[in-house]
Amino acid sequence: MKKEKTQNNQFSQIDWVHKLTRVFVQSKSLKNAFPSTLQVLGQATDADSIFLFLLQKKKEKLIDYPENYLRYSFPGESSKVRNLLKKLAQRAINDGEVICSADPQAHHQQLLKKLNSMGLLNIAVFPWGSVESNQGALIFSWREGIDLAKKFPLIKTLTERFFLALKTYEAFVVQNKNQEADLFHRIRKLYFIYDFTYMISKSKNLSKTLQEGLQRIVDLIPAELATIHLWDNKEKKFHCVASYRINHFPQVEGKIVKYLLNKVVTQDDLLIIPNVKNNSSFSQFSHLKSLKTYIGWPLKASGSLVGVFSFFESSQKSISAEDISFLSTIVDHLAIAIENEQLYRRAQQATIEKERHRLARELHDGLSQSLYSLQLFAATAQEYLKLNEKEKLKVVLEEIKKIANQCLKEMRLMVYHLRPGPLLGKNLTEVLQQRLEEVEKRAGIRTKLWIAPSFHLPESLVPDLYRIIEEALNNSLRHAGASSVEVILDKKGPNFIVEIKDNGHGFDPLLVKEGGQGLINMRKRAEELGGDLKIISSPGKGTTVRIRLKEKRD
């Protein structure tokens, strides 16, 4: 159970929708996909059981699907539980409304109380279809107390996706088997486009994405041979980054592919060469008897050629005009994936350059100035030592100690910033703990992190909020001279309250009303998150940075 709940915490709503969709895509039929889809629904919602009830039209009888999702069994009471759930499903179908135990106005409290006494503390029932044409219901149940209202949006979205697949299945089961297979194949193509688009958006490895995508393309549309070549503008030549069965045709990778790629580039459009081996213009293909039609697409990003997708028709199955149209759509997505990779690399390079300039500026403005000050104080100390001015020497040495400590703090901060993105694979609590451990504590500053149990910040707000907290901690480290710092994340009514407190020198906010660029950026980020930022400080009494964000409700 722990493993499933951990995965649930790491997955977003779109991740679960994608996972559910993939089950349908990879199944041979939608009906065969039911057990796996119920499993995904269970993992996504942490449900202890999920029951699917279907309405038999001929008998007008509600039956429960035999392969329901059960994390726990119901010893001795299984039939009673099922019968009560069936009654609840029938009521939801008759009313055409969702029944949820989290709703205090629910009209089925007596039935829900019976199920509650059998260990089902929370229940959500979703009817399938409209009042006029109900086809069944899906029932989720939990044995533990949970925040069902919080889970409801995810459950509703996944259930709608599940029912959409059921309706699609119902639409074509009445057709003969050939028509069913043909329609299902089309549905798989549509799901593939959705799935491939999702895969592109999540990918950080272009070659791996293209290879996986190509393999799945030929699973849908059989090919004798398929390749994806990318154009290297520096070397002025193509490189094969993904291929299918290229090892079966070693001679193709040389002059033949080069010839075909050049033909596609010259035509600057879709190129189709029917019966390649029999075409008099391509005598060099005569020994490749299994190769039939060649289809090549130029891959373009922002109007410029970035590669070529090559597809050789299968010797076992002819390619249709519909298949070519589908592949043309996929080619557009391949081009988007390549362009995204190029943009990502440029952005990454720009970020690296920006970071280099920032570090150079900080080294000059911070460490260089401090080291220069150390040099001056050290020279002064030598003079006082020669003159045997012990009291003055003591003052200068104390100043040298302070500057050296500040230099050490700056170095620890720079080392921390040089590490990979702190939010990668971590939640806000983990990254704040890491920051305080690796920077403040090592600099000899006492730290405290307190997070209210009710503080559940939407994931979309976490990166910007962390940057505000980080900037506040940086300012404290560099300027406050604090011996302790505290970070508090609280929830008060509809507001998320974040405070960063230190016991440093403090200052008069009125004297620095406009603030530096760091403070301006902090205020701007807070406003972009729909909140505000307030500085509370006075000389000798430390500083508190308070961020208030309003909870966004759907």
Side-chain angles (χ1 to χ4, degrees):
M1 190 191 302
K2 288 183 179 179
K3 185 177 180 181
E4 289 179 348
K5 291 197 175 187
T6 301
Q7 187 181 33
N8 192 352
N9 290 335
Q10 293 175 348
F11 270 42
S12 66
Q13 181 167 301
I14 192 172
D15 289 323
W16 283 117
V17 171
H18 168 249
K19 190 172 183 179
L20 189 66
T21 302
R22 289 199 74 172
V23 172
F24 286 116
V25 174
Q26 294 172 351
S27 300
K28 293 181 179 179
S29 73
L30 289 175
K31 193 170 185 179
N32 291 337
F34 287 170
S36 298
T37 52
L38 291 177
Q39 182 77 19
V40 172
L41 290 171
Q43 292 172 346
T45 61
D46 287 327
D48 292 317
S49 66
I50 302 177
F51 288 83
L52 172 63
F53 291 90
L54 301 174
L55 187 65
Q56 286 186 336
K57 288 186 177 179
K58 291 182 179 180
K59 298 181 181 179
E60 294 187 354
K61 182 181 179 182
L62 193 67
I63 61 167
D64 58 330
Y65 186 69
E67 299 184 53
N68 289 299
Y69 173 80
L70 292 172
R71 189 182 292 179
Y72 298 102
S73 59
F74 300 95
E77 299 199 23
S78 178
S79 59
K80 288 184 179 180
V81 170
R82 287 174 183 268
N83 287 334
L84 289 172
L85 290 174
K86 187 182 290 188
K87 287 182 181 179
L88 204 57
Q90 190 67 64
R91 292 186 185 184
I93 291 170
N94 293 341
D95 296 344
E97 294 180 352
V98 174
I99 297 176
C100 182
S101 56
D103 180 6
Q105 303 301 322
H107 304 297
H108 313 282
Q109 289 299 327
Q110 188 174 356
L111 197 51
L112 289 170
K113 283 181 180 178
K114 286 184 180 179
L115 288 165
N116 187 283
S117 66
M118 295 179 177
L120 279 67
L121 299 184
N122 286 284
I123 296 174
V125 188
F126 292 83
W128 166 22
S130 63
V131 178
E132 292 80 13
S133 57
N134 288 299
Q135 299 296 324
L138 200 61
I139 301 183
F140 297 79
S141 70
W142 295 263
R143 288 164 46 121
E144 299 176 356
I146 60 164
D147 188 350
L148 191 52
K150 184 179 177 183
K151 286 182 179 287
F152 191 82
L154 172 64
I155 300 171
K156 184 174 182 291
T157 299
L158 292 175
T159 303
E160 287 172 352
R161 175 71 57 159
F162 181 80
F163 286 162
L164 177 63
L166 288 180
K167 289 176 182 178
T168 305
Y169 175 73
E170 285 293 318
F172 65 75
V173 291
V174 295
Q175 307 296 327
N176 63 50
K177 290 184 179 180
N178 290 333
Q179 289 175 316
E180 178 182 336
D182 180 59
L183 187 53
F184 183 69
H185 186 62
R186 292 182 183 182
I187 291 169
R188 286 190 70 198
K189 286 181 181 178
L190 291 174
Y191 273 128
F192 172 81
I193 292 173
Y194 163 81
D195 188 42
F196 188 62
T197 304
Y198 174 87
M199 188 167 64
I200 289 170
S201 68
K202 290 284 186 179
S203 173
K204 293 181 180 178
N205 186 326
L206 180 63
S207 297
K208 184 179 178 182
T209 300
L210 294 179
Q211 185 60 53
E212 289 180 1
L214 183 60
Q215 182 60 54
R216 294 185 56 200
I217 288 170
V218 297
D219 286 344
L220 282 171
I221 302 177
E224 200 68 24
L225 169 68
T227 62
I228 298 175
H229 286 78
L230 296 186
W231 175 251
D232 189 321
N233 210 32
K234 289 183 179 179
E235 298 182 14
K236 301 297 180 185
K237 66 178 184 180
F238 284 101
H239 293 286
C240 183
V241 293
S243 63
Y244 170 73
R245 297 191 77 233
I246 192 71
N247 57 316
H248 290 72
F249 303 90
Q251 62 273 56
V252 170
E253 183 58 12
K255 294 181 179 179
I256 296 174
V257 162
K258 184 178 180 181
Y259 179 83
L260 289 170
L261 296 180
N262 288 334
K263 288 286 290 182
V264 174
V265 173
T266 302
Q267 182 154 318
D268 196 31
D269 201 353
L270 172 64
L271 174 66
I272 300 177
I273 305 174
N275 299 315
V276 169
K277 65 180 186 296
N278 298 328
N279 194 307
S280 59
S281 301
F282 307 102
S283 57
Q284 65 267 51
F285 294 104
S286 59
H287 62 291
L288 302 174
K289 295 180 180 180
S290 62
L291 296 182
K292 294 168 66 178
T293 299
Y294 169 79
I295 310 168
W297 288 263
L299 299 171
K300 292 185 176 183
S302 301
S304 300
L305 180 78
V306 292
V308 172
F309 174 52
S310 297
F311 187 95
F312 286 88
E313 181 183 22
S314 170
S315 59
Q316 304 298 320
K317 183 180 178 182
S318 298
I319 192 167
S320 66
E322 182 183 307
D323 290 336
I324 293 175
S325 176
F326 168 73
L327 289 173
S328 296
T329 302
I330 294 302
V331 164
D332 291 338
H333 286 74
L334 288 173
I336 291 171
I338 296 165
E339 184 173 21
N340 284 346
E341 171 73 8
Q342 292 177 340
L343 291 172
Y344 175 75
R345 286 184 181 179
R346 288 174 196 162
Q348 199 173 38
Q349 188 59 40
T351 301
I352 291 171
E353 290 299 320
K354 183 179 178 181
E355 189 65 11
R356 283 175 179 169
H357 287 302
R358 185 188 68 79
L359 285 172
R361 186 173 61 252
E362 288 189 2
L363 281 168
H364 178 269
D365 296 344
L367 279 175
S368 294
Q369 296 296 329
S370 296
L371 291 172
Y372 179 66
S373 297
L374 278 177
Q375 187 180 32
L376 293 177
F377 277 113
T380 303
Q382 284 181 324
E383 292 298 322
Y384 285 143
L385 184 62
K386 289 177 183 178
L387 298 171
N388 200 27
E389 296 278 358
K390 293 183 179 180
E391 289 302 318
K392 292 182 179 180
L393 178 61
K394 185 178 179 181
V395 173
V396 172
L397 289 176
E398 189 64 34
E399 195 64 34
I400 289 175
K401 182 182 176 181
K402 286 181 181 179
I403 296 173
N405 284 336
Q406 189 60 34
C407 286
L408 188 59
K409 290 178 182 179
E410 289 282 350
M411 282 302 300
R412 293 193 191 285
L413 191 57
M414 285 188 181
V415 170
Y416 180 77
H417 283 160
L418 285 172
R419 294 186 176 186
L423 289 170
L424 291 176
K426 298 187 179 82
N427 59 37
L428 185 58
T429 302
E430 292 171 332
V431 76
L432 286 175
Q433 286 175 336
Q434 179 180 316
R435 158 65 198 236
L436 294 173
E437 289 281 344
E438 296 187 8
V439 180
E440 276 71 19
K441 279 191 177 181
R442 290 186 180 182
I445 299 171
R446 297 189 305 275
T447 65
K448 182 179 179 181
L449 174 63
W450 185 85
I451 302 176
S454 58
F455 191 91
H456 299 295
L457 191 72
E459 289 183 15
S460 60
L461 304 183
V462 170
D464 280 326
L465 177 60
Y466 173 72
R467 295 304 174 197
I468 298 173
I469 298 172
E470 182 182 48
E471 185 65 31
L473 289 172
N474 292 350
N475 289 340
S476 175
L477 187 73
R478 287 171 174 152
H479 311 300
S483 61
S484 70
V485 66
E486 185 176 1
V487 180
I488 300 170
L489 279 65
D490 202 358
K491 179 80 186 308
K492 294 181 180 179
N495 297 320
F496 294 102
I497 306 296
V498 178
E499 291 185 342
I500 303 92
K501 299 180 177 181
D502 69 47
N503 65 346
H505 307 313
F507 62 95
D508 186 348
L510 295 176
L511 299 179
V512 286
K513 189 174 181 180
E514 295 301 319
Q517 190 60 44
L519 183 55
I520 292 172
N521 289 339
M522 289 165 65
R523 291 190 189 280
K524 185 177 179 182
R525 285 184 190 274
E527 289 170 1
E528 287 174 351
L529 294 177
D532 54 58
L533 182 143
K534 186 177 181 181
I535 307 291
I536 305 166
S537 184
S538 61
K541 294 186 178 181
T543 301
T544 297
V545 177
R546 179 175 295 160
I547 306 114
R548 181 176 63 90
L549 305 178
K550 293 181 180 179
E551 182 179 17
K552 294 182 179 179
R553 298 183 180 273
D554 296 331

